[in-house]
Amino acid sequence: MAKVTQTPRLAAAVILAWALMGVMTLRGQDSKPSEYRVKAVFLYNFGRFVGWPAAVKGDSFDVCVLGQDPFGPALDATVAGETIDHARVIAKRISKPQDAASCRILFISSSADGQLKEILAELDRASVLTVSDAPQFARRGGMVQFILDGNKVRFEVNLQAAERVGLNLSSELLKLAINVRRNP
C-alpha cells in the first residue's frame, strides 16, 4: 500500500470509527437501525479498509451473501450507488461456495454454519474477506466475526486467516476490533 500522511490517516480512522460504531445517520425514518442494517454498513466499510492483491481488481466490488439472507433490502440499500477502489459495489446472493470466487467480501449466513469447513476449504487460497455472525467463526478459520455486545454490533478478526490469502487489513480497522487473533 502507498505511504499515507498522518492527517488523512487520522481522518480515515475517525470516519471509520464513526461509521462502524453506528453513529452515522442512516437513510430512512428509523430512529434505531436494525442489527442487520448496522452489519450491512460494517460490510461496506470493511471493503474500504482492506487491501486486496492487485490481481483481484475488477469492474465491480461484489459483496456476497451465502446461505439464507438475513439482510433483506438493507444490504442493497447500503451499497446502492457506492464505489470502492473505483469499482461499483454490488450486493449479490449466492447459493454455493464455488460462486464466491468473484466476491471481495463474503458474508456466510448462520444457515450455512453446518458446511463452514467445506466453504472455507473452497476459498482456501481466494482473496475473499470472509465474514459471519456464526458462533466461533473466527476461531474456526473465518476472518471477521460479528459479535453482539449488549445492543451494539462489534467484531473480532482472525488476522492470520486474512493475511494467508493476501489481504491487508488496515491498522484503523484492527483498532476497532474487540479481539484480533494473530495465531491459529
Side-chain angles (χ1 to χ4, degrees):
M1 293 194 135
K3 199 170 194 174
V4 180
T5 63
Q6 286 295 74
T7 303
R9 179 172 280 176
L10 179 61
V14 170
I15 291 168
L16 176 66
W18 180 63
L20 293 181
M21 300 316 269
V23 177
M24 65 183 280
T25 303
L26 299 173
R27 296 178 195 136
Q29 299 298 319
D30 296 336
S31 61
K32 183 177 179 187
S34 72
E35 172 187 342
Y36 282 94
R37 174 71 169 135
V38 172
K39 289 178 180 179
V41 172
F42 269 97
L43 289 178
Y44 167 71
N45 279 295
F46 289 157
R48 297 177 58 226
F49 290 90
V50 173
W52 276 264
V56 178
K57 305 294 181 201
D59 293 337
S60 66
F61 188 104
D62 297 346
V63 178
C64 303
V65 177
L66 177 63
Q68 290 179 343
D69 179 7
F71 294 97
L75 182 59
D76 298 284
T78 299
V79 304
E82 299 293 344
T83 61
I84 296 176
D85 293 333
H86 308 292
R88 188 170 51 112
V89 181
I90 299 173
K92 290 185 175 180
R93 280 65 178 182
I94 60 174
S95 59
K96 53 189 185 240
Q98 297 84 351
D99 296 336
S102 67
C103 303
R104 296 273 193 101
I105 299 174
L106 176 64
F107 180 84
I108 302 169
S109 174
S110 292
S111 69
D113 190 49
Q115 298 103 21
L116 183 60
K117 187 175 181 178
E118 294 81 11
I119 294 167
L120 294 176
E122 180 69 35
L123 298 171
D124 185 47
R125 295 289 170 204
S127 296
V128 176
L129 182 73
T130 57
V131 182
S132 184
D133 51 13
Q136 307 296 316
F137 182 71
R139 289 183 186 189
R140 295 163 55 199
M143 296 175 198
V144 179
Q145 178 183 341
F146 286 127
I147 297 169
L148 285 180
D149 181 15
N151 62 351
K152 295 183 180 186
V153 176
R154 308 280 189 188
F155 63 94
E156 74 175 41
V157 172
N158 180 334
L159 188 58
Q160 182 181 27
E163 289 176 342
R164 185 175 48 78
V165 297
L167 300 181
N168 182 11
L169 281 60
S170 76
S171 60
E172 289 86 4
L173 180 65
L174 297 176
K175 286 178 194 174
L176 294 175
I178 60 171
N179 187 23
V180 177
R181 298 181 177 285
R182 298 182 191 280
N183 296 318

